[in-house]
Amino acid sequence: MEASELSQLTDRKRTLIFINLVVSGIATSILSTAMTTALPNLAADFGVSTAVGQWVTSGYSLAMGMVMPLTAFLITRFPTKKLYMTGIGCFIAGILLSILGSSFALMMVGRVLQACGNGVLLSAAQVVILTVYPLERRGAMMGTYGLATTAAPIIAPTLAGLMIDAFGWKSIFCLVLVIMVLSFILSWAAFADVLELQDKKFDGLSFIESIFAFGGITLGIGNLSGYGLVSVQAGLPLAVGAVVCVLFVLRQRRLEKPFLDVKILRSWNYAVSVLSSMVLYLVMMGSSVMMPLYVQSVMGYSAVTSGLVTLPGSLATAVVSPFAGRLYDKMGIRKIFVAGAAALVVSNVGMAFISLETPLWVAAGFNVIRNLAIGSLMMPLLTWGTSSVDPKKVADASSLLTSFRTIAGSIGSAVFVGIMTAVSAASAATYGDGALMHGMNVSFLWMTVGALVLLAISLFAVKAGGRRQNP
C-alpha cells in the first residue's frame, strides 16, 4: 500500500486489523511459554530428560530467532494479507503435528513449524502497528498489543497448569488451534495490504549465513552448561556461529540492498534498545522456565499449584502493559527503564535467597514484581528503539531486534536450567534433599547479574528524557 493509500485507511479498518493482530498474538504467545508448565509431564510421556525436554521451549525460540532475519525480506516483498495468512497456516500445521505426533522428534518438528509461523506473524504485527498508527499513538498501541505478546506468555503457565491436570498437556495445543483457526478467518475478512513493497531480491547466501550464525551461537551457548566450552556439542557450533556471524555482517554492509540492514545499529538509541531487549528476554525466559520447576520439581506441588503461583504476576503484567505504553508516550523511556530494571533486580535477588521453608506466597510475590518489570519494559523498549530509525527501515529494525531478543530468550531457557542442574548435581553430597533448591538459588543469582546489567544500561546508556523522536 502506497503512502497515499495508507493515509486513507479508515479508523474502523485499522481497528479490525489491530484486533486480528491481538487475537493471533495471544494464541502464538501462549505456546511460547505454556510448555514450561507442561515440561515435567511432557518429558515423562516421551521418556526424555528435563535437559532434553526444555528444548520444546528453547528450541522453539531458537527456530523463531533463525527465521526472523528472513521476515524482514518477506514483509517488504510480499503483500501483507497473503503473508500474514501464510504465517497463520504454517502455525496451524505445526500445532496439528504436535497434537498428532507420537514421538519427541515429531513434537519438535511441529514446534519448529510453529516458530516459523510465529516469526512471520510477530514481525509483521509490529511493523503494521508502527506503520498504520501515528507517532504519538504508537506507544499506547504497542502497549496494548503487549497484552498479547507479554501478558499471554506469562498467563500461559497458569492456564496450562489447570488444563494439564484436567485434560493432559495436548489440550493446550487444542485450545490454541481453535483460536488460530478463528484468527485465520478474521484475517481473510479484515486484513489489508498496509505495508509498502520494495524491490528487493532474495539473497540465498545471506539467509544461509543467518541460519548458521544465529543458530550456531544459540546452540553453542545453550550446550555450554552441559558439555563445557571445549566440546563438539558447545564449542564447535559456538565457533562456527561466531565466524559466520562476522561474515554475515560484512556481507550485509557491502550489499546495496541488504538482506537484513545491520547498519541501523549505528543509531545509538536503537542499538541500546536491542541490547536491553536481549538482556530482558534472557532473564524473562529463564525465570519463566525456572518458576514451574521450582514449584513442581523442587517443592513437589502439582501443575495446578504452579499455575496459581504465577497467576498474580500474570494479572500484574496484563494491567501494567497498556499503561507502560501510555507513560512512554508522555515521559519517554529513561524513568520507566530505570524503575523496571530496579524491580527486576529486587525480584531475582529475592528468589536467590528463598529456601524449602519459605512459603509459596513469597515466591509468588517476587514473581509479581518481576512481571511488573517485564510488562513495563518489553514494548516501550521496542517502540523507543524503532522510532529512532528511518521509517523505511522499520521492518529491518523490528526483525533484527526481535531476532536478537528471541535468541537471547532461547539462551536464557537453556543456560539457567543447565546451571540449576549442574549445581544441584555438584552439591548433592553437601545439601542432600536441598540440592535442587540450592541449584535454583544459584540460577536466580545469575539472573540477578543479568538484571544488574540492565539497570546499568538504563542509568548510563540512556540520555536524560529518552523521549520518542522523529527519525
Side-chain angles (χ1 to χ4, degrees):
M1 180 177 286
E2 301 296 330
S4 58
E5 295 179 81
L6 182 60
S7 64
Q8 297 173 7
L9 191 67
T10 64
D11 287 340
R12 180 177 180 275
K13 189 72 171 179
R14 185 184 289 113
T15 301
L16 287 174
I17 292 173
F18 182 76
I19 290 173
N20 188 32
L21 297 177
V22 170
V23 170
S24 57
I26 289 174
T28 56
S29 298
I30 284 175
L31 280 187
S32 67
T33 55
M35 291 295 97
T36 59
T37 303
L39 180 55
N41 303 74
L42 184 148
D45 283 356
F46 286 118
V48 297
S49 67
T50 301
V52 173
Q54 63 84 28
W55 279 100
V56 170
T57 298
S58 59
Y60 175 91
S61 298
L62 169 61
M64 195 166 80
M66 290 167 63
V67 79
M68 279 294 177
L70 177 62
T71 64
F73 168 80
L74 296 176
I75 288 170
T76 57
R77 194 66 181 82
F78 297 97
T80 317
K81 182 174 180 176
K82 290 182 179 179
L83 179 63
Y84 200 79
M85 292 184 68
T86 300
I88 295 176
C90 184
F91 198 91
I92 290 175
I95 293 176
L96 290 173
L97 189 57
S98 293
I99 293 174
L100 302 175
S102 57
S103 67
F104 185 75
L106 287 176
M107 160 65 76
M108 286 305 303
V109 172
R111 291 293 279 166
V112 169
L113 284 175
Q114 293 160 37
C116 292
N118 193 23
V120 172
L121 298 177
L122 181 58
S123 290
Q126 292 172 170
V127 177
V128 166
I129 294 172
L130 293 169
T131 301
V132 302
Y133 285 98
L135 187 64
E136 64 273 9
R137 293 188 62 191
R138 288 178 186 172
M141 300 314 297
M142 287 295 286
T144 303
Y145 180 71
L147 286 172
T149 58
T150 305
I154 302 172
I155 292 172
T158 303
L159 178 64
L162 297 171
M163 294 184 66
I164 289 167
D165 280 4
F167 308 109
W169 59 265
K170 287 190 177 182
S171 62
I172 303 170
F173 287 104
C174 294
L175 172 64
V176 175
L177 176 62
V178 172
I179 300 175
M180 289 306 288
V181 170
L182 173 62
S183 181
F184 188 86
I185 296 172
L186 284 174
S187 298
W188 178 79
F191 227 89
D193 296 328
V194 296
L195 300 179
E196 183 179 355
L197 301 182
Q198 300 176 21
D199 184 21
K200 293 176 67 174
K201 294 183 179 180
F202 178 71
D203 184 9
L205 180 57
S206 291
F207 178 54
I208 293 172
E209 285 179 341
S210 72
I211 291 177
F212 278 93
F214 295 143
I217 291 173
T218 307
L219 182 62
I221 293 178
N223 286 337
L224 273 178
S225 60
Y227 298 98
L229 180 60
V230 187
S231 65
V232 174
Q233 293 85 349
L236 181 60
L238 190 58
V240 171
V243 171
V244 177
C245 186
V246 173
L247 296 176
F248 175 77
V249 172
L250 291 175
R251 180 172 179 79
Q252 302 317 299
R253 289 172 61 86
R254 289 196 306 266
L255 292 174
E256 182 180 349
K257 293 183 178 180
F259 179 73
L260 184 63
D261 193 353
V262 297
K263 287 182 284 189
I264 55 178
L265 286 167
R266 292 173 179 171
S267 166
W268 177 259
N269 286 356
Y270 177 71
V272 171
S273 72
V274 169
L275 178 60
S276 304
S277 296
M278 289 176 66
V279 177
L280 179 64
Y281 242 63
L282 182 83
V283 176
M284 184 191 86
M285 293 305 295
S287 62
S288 71
V289 173
M290 293 300 297
M291 285 302 294
L293 290 176
Y294 159 68
V295 178
Q296 296 177 62
S297 300
V298 177
M299 300 300 290
Y301 290 98
S302 67
V304 170
T305 303
S306 175
L308 293 175
V309 167
T310 58
L311 179 59
S314 305
L315 297 176
T317 303
V319 170
V320 76
S321 293
F323 289 106
R326 293 184 177 91
L327 285 174
Y328 164 75
D329 284 335
K330 292 180 179 179
M331 67 174 60
I333 192 66
R334 193 171 193 273
K335 292 180 180 178
I336 300 172
F337 197 173
V338 172
L344 199 63
V345 172
V346 170
S347 66
N348 285 295
V349 167
M351 287 299 296
F353 288 97
I354 64 173
S355 67
L356 291 172
E357 289 73 37
T358 304
L360 282 181
W361 65 263
V362 174
F366 286 129
N367 192 53
V368 168
I369 298 173
R370 183 184 306 106
N371 290 342
L372 284 172
I374 292 168
S376 65
L377 293 178
M378 186 70 69
M379 285 304 160
L381 281 174
L382 186 148
T383 308
W384 173 62
T386 53
S387 294
S388 64
V389 303
D390 189 313
K392 292 183 179 180
K393 299 296 183 182
V394 169
D396 292 272
S398 176
S399 297
L400 189 62
L401 186 149
T402 306
S403 179
F404 282 168
R405 76 180 188 185
T406 302
I407 291 173
S410 174
I411 292 170
S413 299
V415 166
F416 292 120
V417 170
I419 290 173
M420 176 183 174
T421 303
V423 172
S424 299
S427 60
T430 304
Y431 287 86
D433 293 339
L436 269 178
M437 174 60 78
H438 177 60
M440 192 210 71
N441 291 148
V442 173
S443 187
F444 271 102
L445 192 60
W446 279 105
M447 287 186 218
T448 302
V449 174
L452 285 170
V453 170
L454 200 63
L455 181 59
I457 293 173
S458 70
L459 291 171
F460 303 112
V462 180
K463 297 177 183 179
R467 294 184 180 278
R468 57 180 173 81
Q469 56 183 291
N470 287 305

